[in-house]
Amino acid sequence: MTSTHTLPALDVAGAAERLKKVVTRTPLAYSHNLSRKYGATILLKREDLQVVRSYKLRGAYNMIASLPQEQLERGVVCASAGNHAQGFAYSCRKKGIRGVVFMPIITPQQKVQQTKMFGEGFIEIKLIGDTFDDCAAAAKEYTLANGLTFIPPFDDLRIIEGQATVGLEILEDQSDIDYVFVPVGGGGLAAGVGSYFKNFSPKTKIIGLEPEGAPSMKTALDAGHPVTLENIERFVDGAAVKRVGETTFSICKEVLDEMHLVAEGQVCSTILKLYNEDALVVEPAGALSIAALDHFADEIRGKTVVCVVSGSNNDIARMQEIKERSLQYEGLKHYFLIRFAQRPGALKEFVNHVLGPTDDIVRFEYMQKHNKETGPALVGIELQSKTDYEVLLTNMNHYGINYTELNKNDNLFGYLV
């Protein structure tokens, strides 16, 4: 994917100087567990420890600090429901300027409060639109109408320049690196880190990671130009955009050696493992770089690998969904609509003969609550081993159980579970 085309000039050293007293220089931490698992030297660039718990502060502050004084005095605007809003808000407070943050109406209150906390009295939040696209359109209209400056989440060279300081810090801490795994949403981080490495460590392979449900950069690279995706899965919210930037795309097509997709369920399994085994709290986008290691296990053996852990803004209220998605991805949780035979002992037979000794019913609900004798039942079954699934299906077929697998029907599954 790399080429010899000239990359735009980025003043990364200048950005690092502007950011020096604002951002945390995050550690490049050796992971004992991951290094042992993959037979490699795995280093984690811990942007989850950034002052706003993500790398986004770097780009937002660098662009704001680069503006002429008259533009700063008029004020700045952004549209974001996540990490960019928090980095923007913190930047406004540090610079002592007025900022307006546009967020969709559906933004969780926790994110609104976090943004207010980082901005203190220097920002105003406007909740507008049911989708991010509506919100962003309103933000740009407001910017033009009021003569303000819009601070985009990724598609500006000053934003990319700020994110490139992640790469600068990595190479200052570890000069000999074989691979860098970096999450991709709009492409600002990948463009910045990738550009810096291509200039100062061209032998390093840069691997971009996206969630399977939002493959905007991979689609763009395959098409040769940015493409607007009609529908995306927003679960990995820090890396789920419908369209990558024009500028970020033009850089990423030159600096990314490979673009790889990671299943949302695998992201969830990674989040849980990091929490349980390493006491690390990461958001879904922050887990992408580590989740991808399984797919490159043979290639990275014996190599020095950096995984950029991009952030840790994970709402604890999401943990049940994360566990659910992980179990389904691992093949350990399955949902069925079961129409039990209308005779005494049918349910007892199912429990005693169809279920295996370690299978567990974790949900049981009749779908027609007004007539419990005749309604089909929604049954959730958790297994201890993925191989128990085929045994379960064999038993159901052997005993003539009338069932529908919901995991394989996205519409039914999304509605019922």
Side-chain angles (χ1 to χ4, degrees):
M1 209 174 290
T2 55
S3 79
T4 58
H5 293 153
T6 304
L7 295 168
L10 298 176
D11 181 15
V12 183
E17 186 62 30
R18 281 187 286 276
L19 295 172
K20 190 162 61 176
K21 294 182 180 178
V22 178
V23 306
T24 300
R25 184 189 174 94
T26 56
L28 188 63
Y30 177 78
S31 171
H32 293 275
N33 286 341
L34 293 172
S35 297
R36 184 171 59 250
K37 178 179 179 180
Y38 294 104
T41 299
I42 308 294
L43 305 168
L44 306 182
K45 179 56 173 169
R46 296 287 306 277
E47 285 297 289
D48 56 303
L49 298 177
Q50 194 51 259
V51 61
V52 296
R53 298 196 287 276
S54 94
Y55 72 93
K56 284 286 192 177
L57 171 60
R58 296 174 183 268
Y61 188 87
N62 186 62
M63 181 172 177
I64 289 172
S66 303
L67 296 176
Q69 188 60 33
E70 60 270 20
Q71 283 183 257
L72 288 176
E73 289 172 359
R74 284 198 295 270
V76 290
V77 180
C78 86
S80 170
N83 292 338
H84 179 56
Q86 294 175 40
F88 171 92
Y90 188 84
S91 300
C92 289
R93 175 162 70 86
K94 295 296 283 187
K95 294 295 289 182
I97 62 171
R98 171 179 171 253
V100 183
V101 180
F102 280 73
M103 292 179 158
I105 295 169
I106 58 171
T107 302
Q109 193 60 30
Q110 180 251 5
K111 290 189 175 181
V112 175
Q113 292 304 321
Q114 284 288 107
T115 304
K116 284 182 179 177
M117 179 189 76
F118 287 122
E120 293 186 354
F122 291 93
I123 63 155
E124 175 187 358
I125 293 177
K126 292 182 180 290
L127 299 176
I128 292 180
D130 293 328
T131 67
F132 175 75
D133 295 313
D134 294 339
C135 164
K140 289 172 182 175
E141 285 177 20
Y142 180 89
T143 302
L144 286 172
N146 292 276
L148 307 179
T149 302
F150 188 71
I151 309 298
F154 46 80
D155 204 26
D156 186 283
L157 284 177
R158 290 161 293 184
I159 298 287
I160 295 166
E161 199 174 69
Q163 319 306 26
T165 60
V166 172
L168 179 149
E169 290 179 11
I170 291 170
L171 277 176
E172 284 183 345
D173 289 345
Q174 174 71 39
S175 59
D176 188 21
I177 298 170
D178 298 299
Y179 289 83
V180 174
F181 287 80
V182 58
V184 177
L189 180 64
V193 171
S195 292
Y196 194 81
F197 269 85
K198 290 309 171 191
N199 281 320
F200 295 99
S201 181
K203 77 176 185 66
T204 303
K205 287 189 176 180
I206 310 297
I207 312 295
L209 294 322
E210 283 181 311
E212 280 186 354
S216 52
M217 184 62 79
K218 188 166 193 317
T219 303
L221 291 169
D222 290 344
H225 55 83
V227 175
T228 302
L229 303 181
E230 272 192 49
N231 298 296
I232 59 172
E233 161 66 78
R234 296 189 180 276
F235 175 76
V236 185
D237 48 354
V241 302
K242 286 188 173 181
R243 184 184 179 93
V244 298
E246 299 288 338
T247 304
T248 53
F249 168 76
S250 68
I251 297 174
C252 283
K253 72 178 181 180
E254 309 298 341
V255 303
L256 292 180
D257 292 281
E258 189 170 338
M259 195 68 224
H260 188 79
L261 303 183
V262 182
E264 280 78 0
Q266 187 174 15
V267 168
C268 292
S269 293
T270 302
I271 290 172
L272 295 174
K273 284 178 184 174
L274 288 171
Y275 180 77
N276 292 327
E277 297 174 8
D278 299 286
L280 292 183
V281 177
V282 299
E283 63 187 67
L288 276 171
S289 60
I290 296 170
L293 293 177
D294 276 349
H295 303 271
F296 292 83
D298 293 337
E299 195 175 326
I300 65 174
R301 184 166 296 279
K303 307 294 185 180
T304 299
V305 178
V306 172
C307 296
V308 180
V309 182
S310 58
S312 65
N313 285 306
N314 201 4
D315 188 346
I316 195 169
R318 303 181 76 188
M319 290 309 291
Q320 188 55 45
E321 180 188 4
I322 289 170
K323 183 181 177 185
E324 182 84 12
R325 284 176 176 265
S326 171
L327 286 169
Q328 289 171 40
Y329 173 78
E330 302 290 342
L332 300 178
K333 195 167 188 179
H334 301 270
Y335 289 92
F336 302 90
L337 271 183
I338 297 181
R339 299 159 191 87
F340 288 102
Q342 297 309 302
R343 56 177 172 75
L347 180 56
K348 184 177 181 181
E349 179 182 89
F350 180 81
V351 172
N352 291 341
H353 300 297
V354 175
L355 293 184
T358 60
D359 298 349
D360 187 19
I361 294 179
V362 292
R363 183 168 178 182
F364 191 93
E365 180 182 353
Y366 276 103
M367 304 310 293
Q368 293 179 340
K369 296 181 185 298
H370 63 282
N371 185 352
K372 292 188 177 180
E373 298 304 316
T374 59
L378 170 63
V379 182
I381 300 173
E382 192 169 317
L383 312 175
Q384 281 198 2
S385 168
K386 188 174 183 177
T387 56
D388 294 340
Y389 180 60
E390 291 303 323
V391 176
L392 176 64
L393 292 186
T394 298
N395 289 345
M396 286 207 281
N397 292 325
H398 177 75
Y399 285 94
I401 303 296
N402 184 344
Y403 67 90
T404 300
E405 294 179 75
L406 296 185
N407 296 57
K408 296 182 179 178
N409 187 317
D410 289 341
N411 291 332
L412 271 175
F413 181 75
Y415 180 73
L416 293 171
V417 179

